Amino acid sequence: MSLLVVGSTALDTIHTPQRTYYRLLGGSASYAAIAASFFDDVKLVGIVGSDFPKKYLKLFQQHNIDIAGLQIVPGQTFFWEGEYEKDMNKRRTIKTILGVFENFRPTLPPDYQNVHYVLLANISPSLQLHVLKQLKEPKFVAADTMDLWINTALVDLKKLIRQIDLIIMNDTEAQTFTHELNLFQAAKKIHRLGPKYVIIKKGEHGSILSSHNGLTLIPAYPIERVKDTTGAGDSFAGALMGFISSQEGDPSTLLPQAMLYGAVVASFCCEGVGLQRLARLTIKEIDTRMNLLRNMLCF
Amino acid sequence: MSLLVVGSTALDTIHTPQRTYYRLLGGSASYAAIAASFFDDVKLVGIVGSDFPKKYLKLFQQHNIDIAGLQIVPGQTFFWEGEYEKDMNKRRTIKTILGVFENFRPTLPPDYQNVHYVLLANISPSLQLHVLKQLKEPKFVAADTMDLWINTALVDLKKLIRQIDLIIMNDTEAQTFTHELNLFQAAKKIHRLGPKYVIIKKGEHGSILSSHNGLTLIPAYPIERVKDTTGAGDSFAGALMGFISSQEGDPSTLLPQAMLYGAVVASFCCEGVGLQRLARLTIKEIDTRMNLLRNMLCF
């Protein structure tokens, strides 16, 4: 099958204590699509401006990502500039330019509308809803979000959450969204708003799946040198949904393994700046690390 | 077999946002001994003053803990008073009185000296070394420690670490001890100082075992209402070593399962104030929660 990924496609300038990386390929959909491409065919929905480097289009194509749904329009690509502090765990935004993203209301190409598996990567909930409405027979829809939308678009976010199968949030987002410090209680509250599956990401501490089967606890893959955590959550969601769509089985059975794949791909993501490491990642490397991770869980 | 536990035995006064609990049974050895008692016979080494309530001696005895090595001397029992902040994750010390602990140099009873399995629970490294020296044929020795000793008794702590099989630290202690933020690199540095097995506890985020077999990642048992985290680390270590000594097999094979038991018993510990919950815990409850935890790890 194939996976539809909608989200932001951006150019990121990242300052690390060592050096500055200019206009890297960024955005939730870019990370998610490339992460998913190791598992299944991906159809990308997004928008970029006329300044978007051709080499990034080529990178998508090298990963067999269908970019018929990636609009290229006059204007500036969504731009983000951020700076890491010394310990690389804290990051601050220096500049954000929405550019062509400001008026993005994508109309899905006809063959996109029939896709069964969908990842609504981090983007405004109104855009996620707009895409969701155009799908003719969605079987399994996951959405990611961020604190910005919880704080500024809560009504739309709640409306979205009622209509999807899986919501993915990180720990602080889940706490903010539910006003509940305890993550297991937070997950319960989110279930009550609609989704059958709730995943709470805890960064280096792994992730939690909550479903009618109870909880599943997934560790992060241990890495010794974190270079850049940008996009790690998007890569986790992308790999997870790529695996689910490639298998087409019962998601409740597939999700734990899918999350392990998500953890593995996210760990590679953190080992390079931006998409550097994922761009040259191989399926063999993923499988090797997946086996290593499984061995770390042999109780 | 049996497990020798040495550490502090104390009276704790704990202020929570709701109420104050006066002169509860506390101390690393109390928690560790009771946690271990669900798995094996325990021999306790410690010291208390003439103010130590008889009901606490009775509690040890009800758990079949041999208290021949618990000295009762004139004077005041080690006393700790602490206060929790609103979110229960932050705690500050109000008062510490060493009391009879100040001049504690235990001489082990003869039958204690022949014990094979030993937990040197959190106490000054010089005391841990003093006990270790008296053991005639230790097979597997674990030690726990705390930031205080890293900051004030580093030479003794390093001397101790060279002579034991397993060192248990929490994340910030491992970082302080090794000057290394990354926990996996910290574990490697600790191995170089001697111990074959290194466990790094991460509280609600689980624990990591590092050994010649590589890493093993152990989750914490998810609990919805944390009442008091005092003694959770000591209970983890106690249950872990109680299980190891009860099995007498190859520790490298037993440790992952032992850590799961540690996680389960520690989770019960957090559900009551002080030793409240552990005091009335049953083996059946431990087994039930162990099965639940295993089911959460079914990938």
Side-chain angles (χ1 to χ4, degrees):
Chain A
M1 293 296 278
S2 59
L3 175 72
L4 180 72
V5 175
V6 61
S8 60
T9 39
L11 296 174
D12 289 352
T13 289
I14 298 173
H15 303 272
T16 73
Q18 288 77 40
R19 57 169 281 202
T20 297
Y21 300 83
Y22 293 97
R23 294 163 65 76
L24 298 173
L25 175 57
S28 63
S30 305
Y31 282 98
I34 287 178
S37 74
F38 297 105
F39 303 93
D40 206 351
D41 295 334
V42 177
K43 292 180 188 304
L44 179 63
V45 180
I47 192 166
V48 294
S50 40
D51 60 342
F52 193 70
K54 287 226 164 52
K55 63 179 175 184
Y56 295 152
L57 295 176
K58 217 167 149 185
L59 183 67
F60 287 136
Q61 287 164 327
Q62 280 164 351
H63 285 80
N64 279 319
I65 296 168
D66 180 349
I67 55 172
L70 180 66
Q71 294 175 42
I72 304 171
V73 299
Q76 191 179 349
T77 302
F78 179 41
F79 176 79
W80 179 82
E81 184 171 353
E83 184 180 37
Y84 276 98
E85 286 179 25
K86 227 177 177 179
D87 82 345
M88 295 297 288
N89 274 318
K90 297 210 163 154
R91 205 177 59 181
R92 71 179 188 95
T93 294
I94 294 172
K95 198 192 275 180
T96 305
I97 300 169
L98 277 181
V100 296
F101 225 88
E102 204 148 6
N103 302 305
F104 183 43
R105 295 292 286 174
T107 302
L108 299 187
D111 61 324
Y112 277 50
Q113 296 173 17
N114 297 314
V115 167
H116 298 325
Y117 294 87
V118 181
L119 172 58
L120 306 168
N122 178 26
I123 197 178
S124 82
S126 70
L127 263 176
Q128 291 173 315
L129 281 163
H130 176 74
V131 169
L132 188 55
K133 241 182 285 174
Q134 298 174 58
L135 298 169
K136 293 199 173 134
E137 37 181 347
K139 273 192 185 160
F140 192 77
V141 180
D144 197 354
T145 191
M146 73 185 292
D147 47 2
L148 176 66
W149 313 122
I150 295 168
N151 294 325
T152 65
L154 191 60
V155 174
D156 278 345
L157 182 58
K158 285 189 174 172
K159 194 171 160 192
L160 172 78
I161 277 182
R162 272 201 296 279
Q163 302 175 48
I164 59 173
D165 304 284
L166 164 65
I167 179 73
I168 304 172
M169 287 186 185
N170 73 24
D171 37 13
T172 56
E173 289 156 7
Q175 288 167 331
T176 308
F177 184 63
T178 60
H179 304 286
E180 175 56 58
L181 271 179
N182 183 285
L183 297 180
F184 311 108
Q185 293 202 31
K188 279 189 182 168
K189 282 193 175 179
I190 300 171
H191 278 304
R192 277 182 227 131
L193 297 173
K196 201 169 163 186
Y197 303 98
V198 176
I199 289 177
I200 298 179
K201 296 172 292 180
K202 303 191 294 170
E204 62 177 315
H205 300 302
S207 57
I208 302 161
L209 167 66
S210 174
S211 76
H212 53 288
N213 290 332
L215 298 171
T216 307
L217 309 172
I218 304 286
Y221 183 87
I223 50 176
E224 292 198 7
R225 217 167 290 276
V226 175
K227 262 200 153 171
D228 174 16
T229 57
T230 310
D234 305 311
S235 308
F236 172 85
L240 182 160
M241 284 301 292
F243 179 75
I244 297 266
S245 74
S246 74
Q247 301 293 310
E248 293 181 57
D250 174 12
S252 68
T253 314
L254 293 172
L255 269 167
Q257 203 185 341
M259 289 167 76
L260 283 179
Y261 275 117
V264 163
V265 175
S267 74
F268 281 113
C269 179
C270 294
E271 288 180 337
V273 172
L275 273 154
Q276 271 181 345
R277 185 67 185 89
L278 291 197
R280 57 181 177 81
L281 186 62
T282 65
I283 294 166
K284 208 183 148 195
E285 286 176 313
I286 294 173
D287 284 338
T288 302
R289 196 166 275 195
M290 184 73 170
N291 286 332
L292 288 171
L293 183 56
R294 284 189 172 284
N295 281 335
M296 293 176 201
L297 309 172
C298 277
F299 308 134
Chain B
M1 293 298 277
S2 59
L3 175 72
L4 180 73
V5 175
V6 60
S8 60
T9 39
L11 296 175
D12 290 351
T13 288
I14 297 174
H15 303 272
T16 74
Q18 289 76 39
R19 58 168 282 202
T20 297
Y21 299 84
Y22 294 97
R23 294 165 63 78
L24 298 173
L25 175 58
S28 62
S30 305
Y31 282 97
I34 287 179
S37 74
F38 297 104
F39 304 92
D40 208 350
D41 295 333
V42 176
K43 292 180 188 304
L44 179 62
V45 180
I47 192 166
V48 294
S50 41
D51 61 343
F52 193 71
K54 287 226 166 50
K55 62 178 177 184
Y56 295 151
L57 295 177
K58 217 167 149 185
L59 183 69
F60 287 136
Q61 286 164 329
Q62 279 163 353
H63 285 80
N64 279 319
I65 296 168
D66 181 349
I67 55 170
L70 180 66
Q71 294 175 43
I72 305 172
V73 298
Q76 190 178 350
T77 302
F78 179 41
F79 177 79
W80 178 82
E81 184 171 353
E83 183 180 38
Y84 277 97
E85 286 180 27
K86 227 177 176 180
D87 82 344
M88 294 297 289
N89 274 318
K90 296 209 165 155
R91 207 176 57 180
R92 70 179 189 94
T93 293
I94 294 173
K95 199 192 275 180
T96 304
I97 301 169
L98 277 181
V100 296
F101 225 89
E102 204 149 5
N103 301 306
F104 183 44
R105 297 291 286 175
T107 302
L108 298 188
D111 61 324
Y112 276 50
Q113 297 173 17
N114 297 313
V115 168
H116 298 325
Y117 293 87
V118 181
L119 172 58
L120 307 169
N122 178 26
I123 198 179
S124 81
S126 71
L127 264 176
Q128 291 172 316
L129 280 164
H130 177 75
V131 169
L132 188 55
K133 241 182 286 177
Q134 298 174 58
L135 298 169
K136 292 201 175 133
E137 35 181 348
K139 272 192 185 162
F140 191 77
V141 179
D144 197 355
T145 191
M146 72 184 291
D147 46 4
L148 175 67
W149 312 123
I150 295 168
N151 295 324
T152 64
L154 191 60
V155 172
D156 278 345
L157 183 58
K158 285 190 174 171
K159 193 172 161 191
L160 172 78
I161 277 182
R162 272 200 297 279
Q163 302 175 48
I164 59 173
D165 303 283
L166 163 65
I167 178 75
I168 304 173
M169 288 187 185
N170 74 23
D171 38 12
T172 55
E173 288 157 7
Q175 289 167 333
T176 307
F177 184 63
T178 60
H179 303 286
E180 174 58 58
L181 270 179
N182 183 286
L183 296 180
F184 310 108
Q185 292 202 29
K188 278 188 182 169
K189 281 193 176 178
I190 300 171
H191 277 303
R192 277 183 226 129
L193 296 173
K196 200 169 164 184
Y197 303 98
V198 176
I199 289 178
I200 299 179
K201 296 173 292 180
K202 303 190 295 170
E204 61 177 317
H205 300 302
S207 56
I208 302 162
L209 166 66
S210 175
S211 74
H212 53 287
N213 290 331
L215 298 171
T216 306
L217 309 173
I218 304 287
Y221 183 87
I223 50 176
E224 293 197 6
R225 219 167 289 278
V226 175
K227 263 199 153 174
D228 174 15
T229 56
T230 310
D234 304 312
S235 307
F236 172 86
L240 182 161
M241 283 301 292
F243 178 76
I244 298 266
S245 74
S246 75
Q247 301 293 310
E248 294 181 56
D250 173 12
S252 69
T253 313
L254 293 172
L255 269 168
Q257 203 186 340
M259 289 167 76
L260 283 178
Y261 275 116
V264 163
V265 175
S267 74
F268 281 113
C269 179
C270 294
E271 287 180 339
V273 173
L275 273 154
Q276 270 181 345
R277 186 67 185 91
L278 292 197
R280 57 180 177 81
L281 185 62
T282 65
I283 293 167
K284 208 183 147 195
E285 287 176 312
I286 294 173
D287 284 339
T288 302
R289 195 165 276 194
M290 184 72 170
N291 286 332
L292 288 170
L293 183 55
R294 283 188 172 285
N295 282 334
M296 293 177 201
L297 310 173
C298 278
F299 309 133

